[in-house]
Amino acid sequence: MGTRGGVRSGAGRPAGTGRYGEPTQAVRVPQSLLPVVTGLLAGRRGDALPAGAWQAQVGVPCPLPRYGHRVRAGFPSPADDHLDRSLDLNELLIAHPAATFLVTVEGESMTGLGIHPGDLLVVDRAITPQSGQIVVAAVNGELTVKTLELRGSTAKLVAAHPDFPPIAISAELDLVIWGVVTGVVRTLKP
């Protein structure tokens, strides 16, 4: 039996004592997705996102034709049929490209505010969270979207659904606010 390589009893850091506070596992990541995964892990630890980590995902121009009239839910008006200008969805939805990321909603806790499962949230880490804003936060390692409510000395994350009680923010809670939700994208295709 050789004396080099392989598993050595007692070697390495004990499981759960690293920077994430839990056991980790090595995985292979395509190089093109490495900035995204690195940014995701930085957000989990509460670190600043690496420069350009999410920019590659949201910084691609996306100009679409925009018509200069509003769509009526009642009878259409044929007189309003002309093109206004192109609109880049990045300009509309993203104020800080280097600090913005997208995340998909899971669960029903925010349906009262029109945020449904499968919706795509635009989250801006450059905005300082204020009371009344919708935020994406990691609570005890689990991501959630809630409204931040600050009143006097109390702070909580509040759902927009009666089945989900507020989460009181205390010193004992493992909480990292990832960013402020600035937009919601929903596709209607079946």
Side-chain angles (χ1 to χ4, degrees), residues 6-160:
V7 177
R8 292 174 287 139
S9 177
R13 182 178 29 227
T17 61
R19 62 174 30 169
Y20 300 103
E22 62 185 85
T24 58
Q25 182 175 352
V27 295
R28 291 186 177 270
V29 176
Q31 287 185 344
S32 63
L33 295 178
L34 191 56
V36 175
V37 173
T38 303
L40 178 65
L41 293 174
R44 175 129 193 251
R45 292 190 313 260
D47 298 346
L49 288 175
W54 297 96
Q55 192 169 11
Q57 295 295 306
V58 297
V60 178
C62 185
L64 298 171
R66 179 182 182 183
Y67 290 89
H69 65 87
R70 297 181 185 270
V71 174
R72 297 173 193 224
F75 295 103
S77 171
D80 290 338
D81 193 22
H82 63 277
L83 184 66
D84 186 20
R85 66 176 183 97
S86 291
L87 171 70
D88 187 332
L89 292 179
N90 291 310
E91 291 176 17
L92 177 69
L93 297 173
I94 301 167
H96 307 104
T100 300
F101 65 93
L102 307 173
V103 64
T104 302
V105 175
E106 186 178 293
E108 308 276 341
S109 71
M110 297 299 281
T111 55
L113 288 178
I115 298 174
H116 297 274
D119 286 355
L120 198 59
L121 300 179
V122 180
V123 184
D124 192 332
R125 290 176 52 97
I127 298 173
T128 301
Q130 304 289 323
S131 185
Q133 289 181 321
I134 300 170
V135 298
V136 170
V139 178
N140 295 327
E142 296 289 327
L143 281 182
T144 187
V145 57
K146 299 283 184 290
T147 300
L148 177 64
E149 188 176 290
L150 305 173
R151 288 190 184 168
S153 62
T154 62
K156 28 186 179 175
L157 296 173
V158 181

Side-chain angles (χ1 to χ4, degrees), residues 150-173:
L150 305 173
R151 288 190 184 168
S153 62
T154 62
K156 28 186 179 175
L157 296 173
V158 181
H161 191 289
D163 291 345
F164 297 87
I167 301 169
I169 299 175
S170 65
E172 295 78 32
L173 188 69

